[in-house]
Amino acid sequence: MKTALTEMLGIELPIIMAPMFLVTNTDMIVAAAENGVAGCIPALNFRTIEELEAGIKDIKSRTNKPFGINLIVNKSNVLAKKQLYKCLDLGVNFFITSLGSPEEVIRESKKHGIRVFCDVIEENYAKKVEDLGADGVIAVNSGAGGHLGNIPASVLVPTLKSKCRIPVISAGGVGSGAGILSMLALGADGLSIGSPFIASTESGVTPEYKQACIDYDAEDIVVTTKLSGSRCTVINTPYLKKIGTDQNLFESFLNKNKQLKKYAKMVTYYKGMKMIEKAAFGATYKTVWCAGSSIEFTKKIEPIQEIITRLKNELETAKENLNKVVG
Ligand SMILES: Cc1cc2nc3c(=O)[nH]c(=O)nc-3n(C[C@H](O)[C@H](O)[C@H](O)COP(=O)(O)O)c2cc1C
């Protein structure tokens, strides 16, 4: 297949394995790369700059195929600058930026010939990052796992395609070959797929989290503001039902207070991330598992190679089925 994304990164399939906080690890990146997909790992999945360096070196020693690093570029990430310059030093193929301004990342990456894709949820911001020199936008739609957008892919992708000159990569809600074909039909130059890889053999999260991706379906995904202060998708486990998805009166009072807002957000974020971390890696009754509705298509824990082979086979079937209908 040839799209602007496959050409830009030199990959077989127009797919990025999306960065997932705590979930993505170096084994997943290598497996994706060796199977024609470019994986992207959040820099924050490495606790220190030394660990980031070791991780990048590890990936590079096991594959020479492209991979990317996800940088959170707002104030919450105090390591952002160090992460950026370490990656530039060691050499990575692309960055995905989320939150905050990607200006410095784009400017510095250009000097090193590194591609930069920026998360966007609407047109104005997409045009802004295009003007800054981004190589593409990751169009995060309302079906995405993690911090989701507000606009469905069927509207967001064609809108961005008509307003931007740079490639548009659709993120959210795709876990089947037919889903991939539908995004390409909307005009997407590629896809960024996350949730369907959570239950991969290579992922380091607990077997319980992986099993939850199999046992729960699209209808069990709810949006909560309790974890980071921003809207985020989680599996509606009994524990989640108990704590609810809305901030309590005290939390929303703090969030509305001009002076306290900033600190309240920081505390919510810190507590939420700790809770997600505990649930991802240890046995706890506080089952706060982040995932999107595309876990609907997760039927077993399997190696990334098999997930990608399934997507490829389904894509062929979807093309044949479509041909029968439209000729
Ligand atoms: C568990 C989880 C963690 C995520 N963490 C991040 C992150 O650290 N940085 C980021 O830019 N996006 C993050 N995302 C969003 C994904 O990169 C991507 O946009 C999303 O997975 C696409 O929707 P999908 O899950 O339906 O494929 C996360 C998504 C999930 C499900």
Side-chain angles (χ1 to χ4, degrees):
M1 284 181 84
K2 259 192 188 181
T3 71
L5 183 69
T6 61
E7 296 294 285
M8 213 178 240
L9 295 181
I11 48 177
E12 189 195 328
L13 290 165
I15 298 175
I16 289 174
M17 184 180 70
M20 289 184 284
F21 182 57
L22 301 171
V23 175
T24 318
N25 61 16
T26 53
D27 289 347
M28 291 173 72
I29 297 290
V30 174
E34 289 299 305
N35 287 284
V37 164
C40 184
I41 183 165
L44 283 174
N45 283 8
F46 305 100
R47 263 170 301 180
T48 60
I49 297 299
E50 290 71 33
E51 282 182 26
L52 172 66
E53 175 166 352
I56 292 175
K57 286 185 174 163
D58 175 41
I59 296 168
K60 287 185 156 213
S61 70
R62 291 157 69 198
T63 184
N64 54 13
K65 307 256 171 63
F67 70 96
I69 297 285
N70 169 229
L71 295 173
I72 305 282
V73 284
N74 73 357
K75 281 185 203 132
S76 75
N77 180 12
V78 289
L79 290 176
K81 248 185 207 296
K82 284 190 179 161
Q83 290 166 341
L84 167 65
Y85 287 96
K86 182 52 78 183
C87 293
L88 293 173
D89 243 21
L90 296 172
V92 297
N93 303 87
F94 65 96
F95 288 111
I96 292 180
T97 65
S98 26
L99 312 174
S101 169
E103 194 169 353
E104 185 177 3
V105 178
I106 294 172
R107 190 184 62 234
E108 296 305 316
S109 298
K110 290 226 178 291
K111 298 178 190 162
H112 293 76
I114 296 173
R115 306 284 190 177
V116 181
F117 305 111
C118 304
D119 275 355
V120 306
I121 56 167
E122 46 85 30
E123 178 193 327
N124 287 337
Y125 194 63
K127 278 161 56 188
K128 202 165 164 183
V129 300
E130 177 173 73
D131 290 344
L132 288 173
D135 295 286
V137 288
I138 309 278
V140 182
N141 61 54
S142 58
H147 290 127
L148 68 172
N150 302 312
I151 305 176
S154 55
V155 177
L156 187 61
V157 173
T159 303
L160 297 186
K161 277 305 283 182
S162 69
K163 305 286 175 176
C164 301
R165 297 174 305 278
I166 52 178
V168 174
I169 296 140
S170 182
V174 171
S176 70
I180 296 173
L181 188 62
S182 70
M183 291 304 147
L184 297 174
L186 286 169
D189 299 284
L191 291 92
S192 177
I193 301 181
S195 300
F197 292 102
I198 299 174
S200 61
T201 314
E202 291 87 346
S203 153
V205 300
T206 59
E208 289 78 11
Y209 186 0
K210 295 184 190 182
Q211 191 60 39
C213 292
I214 298 166
D215 295 341
Y216 289 91
D217 291 315
E219 75 240 30
D220 302 308
I221 299 302
V222 289
V223 176
T224 178
T225 49
K226 259 185 142 54
L227 297 175
S228 66
S230 305
R231 294 165 70 241
C232 179
T233 64
V234 283
I235 300 177
N236 203 12
T237 58
Y239 177 70
L240 217 282
K241 282 183 186 146
K242 200 172 124 198
I243 62 168
T245 51
D246 295 325
Q247 297 192 318
N248 61 34
L249 281 176
F250 182 59
E251 288 163 338
S252 35
F253 162 75
L254 291 179
N255 274 312
K256 280 182 193 128
N257 182 301
K258 269 194 183 156
Q259 272 95 43
L260 298 175
K261 202 164 132 183
K262 191 173 144 196
Y263 303 101
K265 260 205 150 179
M266 272 162 59
V267 173
T268 307
Y269 185 82
Y270 182 78
K271 272 171 57 187
M273 292 307 119
K274 278 281 156 221
M275 208 191 265
I276 296 190
E277 189 172 352
K278 271 194 187 151
F281 297 123
T284 170
Y285 72 95
K286 293 182 178 173
T287 47
V288 181
W289 290 316
C290 180
S293 55
S294 50
I295 56 163
E296 177 75 36
F297 302 98
T298 298
K299 303 293 176 213
K300 55 182 168 183
I301 298 171
E302 57 187 345
I304 283 180
Q305 180 176 25
E306 279 165 38
I307 299 174
I308 295 175
T309 304
R310 173 178 63 78
L311 290 174
K312 272 198 218 171
N313 292 340
E314 288 174 0
L315 181 58
E316 287 314 310
T317 311
K319 280 199 260 180
E320 284 162 23
N321 290 342
L322 188 65
N323 275 337
K324 278 185 213 153
V325 180
V326 297

